[in-house]
């Protein structure tokens, strides 16, 4: 069941899973620009990261996500675009969300996040980003390792 929350939508969690949907065109993570005055990110990228950070923080509070989570977690993402992106690929979108998750304080370090490539849908009716953060248990890691070994044979 979706709950409206202004410019973001939050879904009720199942266990400790956190889900967020951010309306508007997603912006991929841009490369840092280095000048004589220091290093900075382009304004569009910085602004979108701030929007993501706020949406993630609010959703985490609503859904009871443990702030500063120390374990591994999986990030599942869907990027919906009305027109194909001119710049950035799926990994740039994922990095933008990973950085926002760390900045919002949801995890201690973005190295804890396992992120398969996000699903990018072009030609959709609306622009949005949907993300789900799921804790990974030791049993799930062992199951995945076993499955990967079997698939490699």
């Amino acid at each position: 069941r979706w709950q409206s929350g202004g410019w973001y939508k939050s879904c009720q969690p199942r266990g400790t899973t956190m889900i967020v949907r951010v309306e508007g065109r997603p912006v991929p993570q841009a490369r840092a620009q280095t000048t004589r005055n220091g290093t900075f990110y382009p304004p569009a990228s910085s602004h979108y990261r701030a929007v993501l950070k706020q949406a993630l923080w609010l959703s985490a509070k609503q859904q009871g996500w443990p702030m500063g989570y120390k374990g591994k977690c999986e990030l599942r993402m869907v990027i919906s675009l009305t027109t194909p992106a001119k710049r950035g690929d799926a990994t740039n979108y994922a990095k933008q969300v990973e950085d926002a998750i760390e900045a919002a304080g949801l995890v201690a370090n973005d190295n804890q996040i396992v992120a398969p490539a996000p699903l990018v849908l072009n030609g959709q009716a609306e622009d949005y980003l949907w993300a789900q953060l799921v804790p990974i248990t030791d049993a799930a890691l062992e199951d995945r390792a076993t499955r990967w070994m079997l698939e490699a044979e």
Side-chain angles (χ1 to χ4, degrees), residues 37-151:
N37 300 327
T39 304
F40 69 96
Y41 287 95
S45 182
S46 298
H47 175 72
Y48 191 69
R49 183 179 307 147
V51 168
L52 278 175
K53 178 182 168 183
Q54 188 174 12
L56 288 162
W57 186 84
L58 289 170
S59 291
K61 286 293 186 182
Q62 284 182 343
Q63 299 176 26
W65 178 267
M67 301 304 271
Y69 185 73
K70 302 258 189 266
K72 290 272 188 194
C73 47
E74 183 177 4
L75 174 63
R76 301 171 185 161
M77 290 177 43
V78 175
I79 308 293
S80 174
L81 303 171
T82 54
T83 57
K86 294 180 183 170
R87 292 185 174 214
D89 60 2
T91 57
N92 296 110
Y93 289 106
K95 185 60 180 163
Q96 179 81 291
V97 176
E98 289 172 18
D99 289 348
I101 288 171
E102 182 180 9
L106 275 58
V107 296
N109 190 322
D110 68 351
N111 291 336
Q112 299 167 231
I113 302 171
V114 178
L119 176 61
V120 179
L121 305 172
N122 288 308
Q124 301 300 305
E126 59 182 333
D127 292 325
Y128 65 86
L129 177 139
W130 178 90
Q132 180 182 29
L133 198 58
V134 182
I136 300 175
T137 62
D138 291 337
L141 285 173
E142 289 174 14
D143 181 51
R144 286 180 187 193
T146 304
R147 204 170 343 131
W148 289 335
M149 286 189 293
L150 292 175
E151 288 174 0

